Amino acid sequence: MAKLPRLTLAFLQRQPESAARALEVLAPEDAAAVLAQVPVRISVPVFAAMTSVAAARCAANLPAGTIAAVCEALPGADAYSLLRHLDDAARLEVFERLPGKVSRRIRRALDYAEGTVGAWVEQQVPALNQNRTVADARHLLGHLEDFSASHLPLVDDAQKYAGLLPISALLRASPNARLETLAWRDCMAVTDTSLLASAAGRDDWDESTLLPVVNHRGELLGGVTKKTLAKVIREQSSHVVVRHESVLAYLLAAYLVAAEGLLKILLTGNSSSGSTPIAEDS
């Protein structure tokens, strides 16, 4: 495939959801040919927005090293679902290229049946001991780049789930207040072996974007997010056709090339006024 037009790169980077929908209707090898030409930081949000099956079929046409880099950067549940739908040989190649800690985390998730909560738990959800202070929680959140949940799980000294901490409560509480005094204890944890469908019906989703997940001993394993739940439900309730004639790839490419040409005409019309050309993506 020829080098991607700048407009295509911009589309992938700025509209990952729309790009995912467009790539899902291409033949997997054509979708892979597009994503193979962009940096991982651009392809990761697109992979995350794709259905699990479409993402896996696309990834199967990429080198194992590229898939490993994508899976390392993907949110946990998205990485699990992508690798779950790869064939055994391809999955093994990816595991061999992943850092040991990441590989073990993903393998643990894949040990669960796909319809259970444990198969979708975000194992890297940050948690704090309930005996810590508000100042400690603020410090932790200040160093987290991607945490966007409404609540933070709390644990006791035995690492057992002890309640959820509303992030909003940290704004008005005294820095020296103990977190246990702010805990929302009415939110019961879901067990890792319970069905994901049972978690979907919980009223707690009205209050929190994350539900804590525990093992049979009550020890916190992580959390399942509303975003993950919505994605799983969407995939199970709709049957997306992920393979069409590959000619669609070339029709899409032709459309994007034509669109970039039109954009260039519009831009060059203003070149005399000192307009700055679009920079190449590195």
Side-chain angles (χ1 to χ4, degrees), residues 2-44:
K3 182 179 178 181
L4 291 179
R6 288 177 295 170
L7 187 61
T8 306
L9 287 172
F11 176 57
L12 293 167
Q13 185 171 12
R14 300 174 188 176
Q15 300 292 332
E17 291 275 353
S18 298
R21 301 291 82 80
L23 292 175
E24 284 171 348
V25 300
L26 303 185
E29 57 269 24
D30 293 324
V34 172
L35 293 179
Q37 299 184 63
V38 302
V40 169
R41 63 179 175 80
I42 294 178
S43 66
V44 163

Side-chain angles (χ1 to χ4, degrees), residues 53-132:
V53 173
R57 290 184 178 182
C58 174
N61 291 275
L62 294 171
T66 300
I67 307 174
V70 168
C71 288
E72 187 176 358
L74 276 171
D78 293 315
Y80 312 154
S81 60
L82 189 160
L83 287 176
R84 185 177 285 114
H85 289 91
L86 281 183
D87 63 56
D88 293 342
R91 189 185 309 116
L92 182 59
E93 280 194 67
V94 174
F95 278 136
E96 290 175 348
R97 288 164 173 78
L98 283 170
K101 184 177 181 180
V102 178
S103 177
R104 289 190 294 273
R105 171 165 52 83
I106 296 177
R107 286 176 186 271
R108 282 196 298 270
L110 296 186
D111 284 339
Y112 290 94
E114 188 174 1
T116 62
V117 171
W120 301 95
V121 61
E122 296 286 354
Q123 300 170 29
Q124 292 183 298
V125 169
L128 279 173
N129 189 291
Q130 62 181 345
N131 295 320
R132 303 289 291 272

